[in-house]
Amino acid sequence: MQKVLLKNGIIMDGTGEKSYVGDVLIENGRIKRVSSTPIQAECPSIDCSGKAIAPGFIDAHSHHDKYTYYLDDMMMNEPFIRQGITTFVAGNCGSSPAGMMKNSPYKKDILVTWPEYMGEGISPWETYEEYFDFLRQKGMRTNMAMCAAHGFALASV
């Protein structure tokens, strides 16, 4: 069991209540306890004095689905993670790397605008499920919710 104690941070819990100074105990990657009084625990601790402790933020309009398939995606993820963004809503503006049917007459035109696929040696996915299966096998550093990209849905007809 891995534990870490965040001590003396400014806790902003996302409920709308006023922030307060306190401790957060994390066990196995999950918040176990939050308290305005000191938490006693036998584990490594991090002094968060003067720093905010908050839940992960959501980027509600992103094109991050365009980068999640990169084999080495840290360059694209790190700036967001450092800002506290842990979840992306993707598939916006009618485009997505997922959902292009192999027999689409528009596929060639669409691929011209997505050269990253070829640079990574990865072929586009015919269905969202194929794309999601790829991401599950590869692993992701962040969470992602997908909109159905209407531009590619039309190109698949």
Side-chain angles (χ1 to χ4, degrees):
M1 180 184 327
Q2 295 184 351
K3 288 188 202 179
V4 66
L5 180 60
L6 306 178
K7 297 185 70 60
N8 305 312
I10 303 166
I11 297 174
M12 300 174 193
D13 63 13
T15 64
E17 295 295 320
K18 187 175 177 182
S19 61
Y20 58 93
V21 175
D23 295 356
V24 176
L25 179 62
I26 301 170
E27 287 186 22
N28 296 322
R30 296 193 178 267
I31 296 171
K32 183 72 173 181
R33 186 169 166 217
V34 179
S35 178
S36 60
T37 59
I39 296 174
Q40 302 300 319
E42 293 293 322
C43 63
S45 65
I46 299 171
D47 182 11
C48 296
S49 298
K51 295 180 173 54
I53 301 173
F57 299 114
I58 299 170
D59 182 341
H61 183 118
S62 83
H63 296 274
H64 209 67
D65 51 337
K66 186 175 171 182
Y67 306 109
T68 54
Y69 62 81
Y70 279 25
L71 299 178
D72 181 10
D73 63 349
M74 193 56 182
M75 179 179 78
M76 297 308 297
N77 275 298
E78 187 173 14
F80 295 99
I81 293 168
R82 288 186 177 275
Q83 294 176 67
I85 297 170
T86 59
T87 301
F88 295 91
V89 178
N92 288 292
C93 297
S95 64
S96 173
M100 286 187 283
M101 301 299 286
K102 290 179 182 167
N103 60 356
S104 169
Y106 305 103
K107 187 171 186 177
K108 183 178 178 186
D109 296 331
I110 292 167
L111 288 178
V112 170
T113 66
W114 296 83
E116 294 88 353
Y117 290 122
M118 300 307 126
E120 289 288 321
I122 298 168
S123 297
W125 301 267
E126 183 173 354
T127 67
Y128 277 82
E129 193 57 35
E130 289 174 359
Y131 175 68
F132 296 146
D133 284 345
F134 172 81
L135 294 179
R136 284 184 201 101
Q137 290 172 6
K138 176 188 168 290
M140 291 181 62
R141 299 174 196 273
T142 56
N143 303 302
M144 185 171 60
M146 285 288 288
C147 297
H150 64 274
F152 283 6
L154 293 173
S156 298
V157 175

